Amino acid sequence: MPNFCAAPNCTRKSTQSDLAFFRFPRDPERCRLWVENCRRADLEEKTPEQLNKHYRLCAKHFEPAMICKTSPYRTVLRDTAIPTIFDLTSHLSNPHSRHRKRIKILTDEEVQKMKERRLESSIEQMLSKKECEPQEGNETTDDVPQLTPEQKQQRHFLRSLFEVMVLIGRQNFPYIVKEDLSAKQEERACSASTFQALLESRINAGDEFLRRRFETASVNEDYCSAVQQKQMLEVCEKCVREEILLQVRECRFYSIVTGELVEFPDGDHLPIFLRFVDQANTLREEFIEFLSLEGEEISIAERLESRFTKGWGLSLEDCRGQAHAGSGILATKMKVIAAHLKEKYPMAVITPTSTCALNVHLANGMPLTGVQVVMSVLKKTNAFFTTCPMLQDELVKAISILCQGNTEKENYLKEASRSTWTDLHNVFEMAVDLMEPLLLCMDSVHDNEELKWNDQITSEAYAISEALGDFEFIVTLVILKNALSFTRAFGKNLQGETLDVFFAANSLTAVLHSLHEVMDNLEVYHEFWFEEAITLATTMEVPVKVPRLFLRKHQTVDGMEIQAESFFKEYLTLPVMEYIEQEVKDIFSENHLKALKCLSLVPAVMGQMKFNTSEESHANVHRSDLPHPDTLPAELHCWRIKWKHRGKEVSLPCTIHETLQHSDVKFFPNVNAFLKILATLPVLNLDGSYGETAQKRLQAYIIDTSLHHRCKHLAVLNINYHVKTDLEEMVQCYIKTYPEESESD
């Protein structure tokens, strides 16, 4: 959405020129001076926060000395800048024109005060201009004033080094600096590094500056030490991250999304993404940083909070959602961290991620060993068939053998086996149907009668076969299939179209009622489910038995044999159902549901409901986030009327993204703000945006980069290669952060 200048008689907007536009300052005193100089009476009633968020002035209203161009991509104001250049008379030549920006008529006393302030401002601007004037002739430069020739050469050299470092990160070239070696060994390692090779390539390509610089050194190792390379990596990461954080701060509201742990040479780290709607009303989900998870959950939560507030300059008061992926121990740990953050910041509601099916999310979080074994084996099975296309053919052959005479089932299983079925909403139904073919396929690969498979593949097939042939695995899979069948349709709707999500939010009561009914009649349901597990195990020739580890820990009393059915009811079915019921209640809290029900603001949902919606009853959850909460009821009424009485040729926007891109949404500031907040909720799909590519780039980096070549700093550059990099800013940041290093080079 373009920025419009708030000055009277100024019609400039950001789409028509390359002029910089500046927000009104949040500082109350400076903001008051800006408003007074603008001479717009309607702005005097607004708070500094409202002015900062919704109003801007173009660069034409400031003295040149008040504007600093820190780089080719960024223009900023001095801290004391006050706008003084305004056209307050041109409207008089056309008295019949309509003026939305009415000019305030000043009294004589107000005019006198303004003249005094302008005089003070002029003196400040003259002093600032004098400080900024170059000392040598008419030469102008963006460098810091009065740089010595040596300093200019050093900046040029650092710029070349950063250019090479950014290239390494974006192209994902192998990069290793062995810091645990002795100093001499470290220098040798660096001399053979990718960084050194690219510098030499630039010299051979004709970079005379680097050639002259390196000719003065005795050996190549001294050009850029391992310590300096590490410092430069940190600066590169910091500058790229800051570019993203600037946009997050501008939009204010955001959500936190974390992924599975990523392994690096120095340990596992948690990837952190931020989800927000930018100034162009586009939903984004950007990768920010890798966080170490060492320590207790509370200390990790406090460290994460400190990183957001002190490290990134964000307020967790503005966080509106959090979604954490993971399974097993990670899921348990992240659940504690999320609960801690939500307790301190109640508006940061906990949601599932839009990239993971709800049933998979629920199963991943269950603190039951048997369930985690099932999830682990399913992941290994999916990875097993992606390693070699011929393995997929082996599974298809097994399906054909077992489904003879049932063409419909055979075609269904073959089609399903070719997809990534472990990510589907009906993953457990698919797994039960594929159990026999999978076991037959794994046994065939392990036998390796035709010697088609190597030792690694046969050993992996044997491990999977052993897991599939265990009765505890079979009964756990069957219980998961049946227990999660009550949330399957609900979860699928959550990842569907906006209308599906709206109806899902209104159907949660029915889902909870079904889960409660199962709990009330658990013995009956478990009997049917256990019978299904026995039938499948009998078909697969797997004996029915209680897990060996349990029998070893709990010796039988008076020689009484432990019954398998009662054992699995007490230690599997009951805790699974209790977990699902409680987790659904926790994830879909009252605030979360109220927000999802406000999706009726999307015109297509309104139309489906015959424009008979009542957002007011649910909108109070975000009332304090709106620019004009007092006018919300009237604005919602106008919003409904606008779409109800639209022209026949006008189609109803079907998603939040389409609605935000509509030209008229800017005339409904409360609706606009509300839709942006809703869009940040991690449970909603990223349709209409390019946010999902951040997680895909992370996965691509993990797949393409071997463990000993992975580097957290370079990963940030690689995943965020679409973010503009300002080499001059990197040089300035490096000199400011490491002044001794930059002077000694």
Side-chain angles (χ1 to χ4, degrees), residues 499 502-503 599-616 636-647 650-653:
L499 184 62
F502 174 76
F503 285 129
L599 287 171
S600 56
L601 289 171
V602 175
V605 180
M606 279 186 180
Q608 187 69 25
M609 302 296 293
K610 307 299 181 185
F611 298 96
N612 185 24
T613 56
S614 56
E615 295 82 9
E616 292 93 340
L636 290 176
H637 176 73
C638 294
W639 179 251
R640 283 191 290 268
I641 295 299
K642 168 186 167 51
W643 295 107
K644 185 176 182 180
H645 299 290
R646 71 193 185 282
V650 179
S651 59
L652 293 174

Side-chain angles (χ1 to χ4, degrees), residues 683-726:
V683 69
L684 299 178
N685 274 333
L686 288 161
D687 293 339
S689 71
Y690 51 88
E692 199 171 7
T693 56
Q695 297 201 33
K696 291 180 179 178
R697 287 172 186 160
L698 172 60
Q699 294 304 317
Y701 176 83
I702 295 171
I703 294 171
D704 297 341
T705 312
S706 58
L707 176 60
H708 67 284
H709 280 154
R710 291 178 188 171
C711 170
K712 297 189 295 293
H713 310 299
L714 290 176
V716 174
L717 286 173
N718 181 260
I719 298 167
N720 293 312
Y721 72 83
H722 61 292
V723 177
K724 289 189 300 185
T725 53
D726 187 344

Side-chain angles (χ1 to χ4, degrees), residues 161-352:
L161 297 184
F162 275 113
E163 192 171 358
V164 171
M165 194 65 76
V166 170
L167 178 65
I168 292 174
R170 288 188 167 178
Q171 299 300 324
N172 199 21
F173 292 146
Y175 180 86
I176 303 177
V177 174
K178 300 180 180 178
E179 298 178 354
D180 55 339
L181 301 178
S182 65
K184 192 169 184 180
Q185 290 173 321
E186 182 181 295
E187 290 177 353
R188 290 175 180 173
C190 290
S191 65
S193 69
T194 303
F195 186 78
Q196 190 72 17
L198 288 173
L199 285 177
E200 293 174 357
S201 176
R202 288 193 59 161
I203 294 173
N204 295 333
D207 192 323
E208 292 299 325
F209 176 82
L210 285 179
R211 182 183 297 278
R212 291 194 302 270
R213 174 90 181 191
F214 288 168
E215 282 176 352
T216 61
S218 57
V219 290
N220 288 344
E221 291 89 300
D222 295 333
Y223 298 164
C224 187
S225 67
V227 173
Q228 188 179 13
Q229 289 183 43
K230 185 178 179 182
Q231 293 170 347
M232 292 175 66
L233 284 172
E234 293 173 353
V235 169
C236 286
E237 178 188 5
K238 180 180 179 181
C239 290
V240 169
R241 179 168 54 246
E242 185 60 25
E243 283 292 329
I244 300 173
L245 292 175
L246 279 173
Q247 301 176 59
V248 178
R249 295 188 200 108
E250 285 181 351
C251 70
R252 184 182 170 189
F253 299 111
Y254 63 92
S255 288
I256 305 169
V257 180
T258 63
E260 294 275 3
L261 289 177
V262 178
E263 189 177 2
F264 285 94
D266 59 341
D268 293 341
H269 287 72
L270 184 75
I272 300 177
F273 303 83
L274 293 183
R275 177 167 169 150
F276 61 97
V277 177
D278 63 17
Q279 294 298 310
N281 283 345
T282 301
L283 178 59
R284 306 262 296 277
E285 191 172 289
E286 300 289 2
F287 173 70
I288 299 296
E289 188 177 290
F290 290 104
L291 180 74
S292 172
L293 283 187
E294 294 182 358
E296 297 296 326
E297 289 85 349
I298 301 302
S299 64
I300 296 172
E302 292 173 350
R303 191 164 70 245
L304 180 64
E305 181 182 0
S306 175
R307 200 79 186 100
F308 269 80
T309 55
K310 298 178 181 178
W312 300 343
L314 299 176
S315 172
L316 282 169
E317 296 285 354
D318 296 330
C319 179
R320 291 297 171 264
Q322 49 176 324
H324 307 284
S327 58
I329 297 175
L330 174 63
T332 304
K333 183 175 288 191
M334 293 310 300
K335 194 174 297 184
V336 176
I337 295 171
H340 178 81
L341 292 176
K342 188 175 183 295
E343 182 180 2
K344 197 168 183 179
Y345 306 98
M347 297 304 294
V349 297
I350 302 172
T351 80

